[in-house]
Amino acid sequence: MTAGATHLHISAAYPVYGQIMVQAQLVDGATGKDIAGSSTNRSTSDLIVNQPYFKPSWTDGGVTSYSASPQIATGAPHAVTERLNIRIVWLSPASAHTTSTQVVFTAAQIAAAGYPPEQLENAVAVRSSADGQNYAVKPWTPGADGSLSIDLPPVDWRADVTQSQYLSFKVAWGLPAGRLVGTIEVRDPQGWQYVGATQTLRPTADVRPAELVPSVFGRDAKGDLWLIPGARGPVRPRTTTPAVWSAAAGAATPR
């Protein structure tokens, strides 16, 4: 070996989650003994790889934030929204850097929650948005292995290092309560997974839709028939029916 500087080139194929500490050793090829080495206590021996930042968060109707998995009342009129915050710092030119996000529930995860895949596909409605305002329906993609997934539009990173995507979930009335654990994955165009986060959908007790709340009919002291429309919350004012039944006459009398 001739005298001079020794150069070590290290590259990362994709962002690695965390900080990597590197220690170099110069070894005698004849004896295998260490000649010299760097110290991990020196800042010059630290190799720091930029890690992606990914923090999914939930909001209830776009107002209340949750740090843990929220509850989604089946049949509720409003959707539960999840904001996916992603931050990636590129050291090389970002002209071709894009990522794609996928929400995945494996067959094992669905089975553990106690749902058939077809039941979830029909009961859980998902929409996505790039700005949190304009949402589009996202259909489930059933897998041959019994999994369910949703693909979100690719994100172009040429303009910024921080991006957000939004998902909203509504669960139809009648789905049994459960705890469904899935994964949100961010990947590059070649399929490398940058980051992933486990998220939980928690369908809870039913909120019966207004159209399924029965109406109440009753007669007053005069024998007139009244209708109290079915609804959630406070009882609506009663109204007379189009034809009120007169107990005395025994026939329908228009009102």
Side-chain angles (χ1 to χ4, degrees):
M1 178 184 295
T2 60
T6 301
H7 299 274
L8 178 65
H9 175 76
I10 301 175
S11 64
Y14 63 98
V16 179
Y17 191 82
Q19 179 174 303
I20 298 177
M21 309 297 294
V22 174
Q23 183 175 5
Q25 296 294 126
L26 184 61
V27 180
D28 187 330
T31 64
K33 294 182 178 180
D34 293 344
I35 299 174
S38 65
S39 170
T40 55
N41 294 325
R42 300 176 183 175
S43 60
T44 55
S45 63
D46 295 347
L47 172 64
I48 300 177
V49 179
N50 283 324
Q51 64 183 37
Y53 165 84
F54 183 48
K55 184 180 180 182
S57 60
W58 294 88
T59 57
D60 179 8
V63 178
T64 306
S65 296
Y66 296 91
S67 58
S69 58
Q71 296 181 344
I72 306 176
T74 60
H78 62 268
V80 171
T81 303
E82 182 177 22
R83 178 175 178 173
L84 312 178
N85 300 314
I86 310 170
R87 176 180 174 84
I88 299 179
V89 179
W90 304 104
L91 297 182
S92 57
S95 59
H97 286 152
T98 60
T99 61
S100 59
T101 304
Q102 186 179 56
V103 182
V104 181
F105 295 98
T106 66
Q109 290 170 329
I110 295 173
Y115 302 115
E118 297 81 6
Q119 186 181 33
L120 283 180
E121 185 180 359
N122 293 328
V124 181
V126 184
R127 297 184 302 158
S128 72
S129 171
D131 56 10
Q133 300 294 326
N134 302 298
Y135 283 84
V137 175
K138 298 299 294 184
W140 290 101
T141 300
D145 58 353
S147 63
L148 287 174
S149 62
I150 290 177
D151 295 300
L152 301 184
V155 174
D156 188 339
W157 291 94
R158 289 177 293 182
D160 202 352
V161 297
T162 303
Q163 306 248 7
S164 295
Q165 292 178 293
Y166 301 82
L167 285 172
S168 76
F169 296 90
K170 284 186 70 173
V171 182
W173 178 75
L175 183 73
R179 183 175 183 272
L180 179 62
V181 180
T183 305
I184 301 174
E185 302 173 352
V186 179
R187 299 179 181 273
D188 74 356
Q190 287 70 44
W192 284 98
Q193 182 174 328
Y194 288 144
V195 285
T198 300
Q199 285 293 75
T200 304
L201 292 177
R202 295 174 60 90
T204 63
D206 292 343
V207 176
R208 185 176 297 181
E211 62 269 17
L212 296 180
V213 178
S215 299
V216 177
F217 292 86
R219 290 191 178 93
D220 60 16
K222 297 186 299 181
D224 291 340
L225 184 65
W226 293 85
L227 166 66
I228 302 177
R232 293 187 299 271
V235 176
R236 295 177 184 176
R238 67 178 187 173
T239 59
T240 55
T241 58
V244 177
W245 186 267
S246 172
T253 305
R255 297 275 298 189

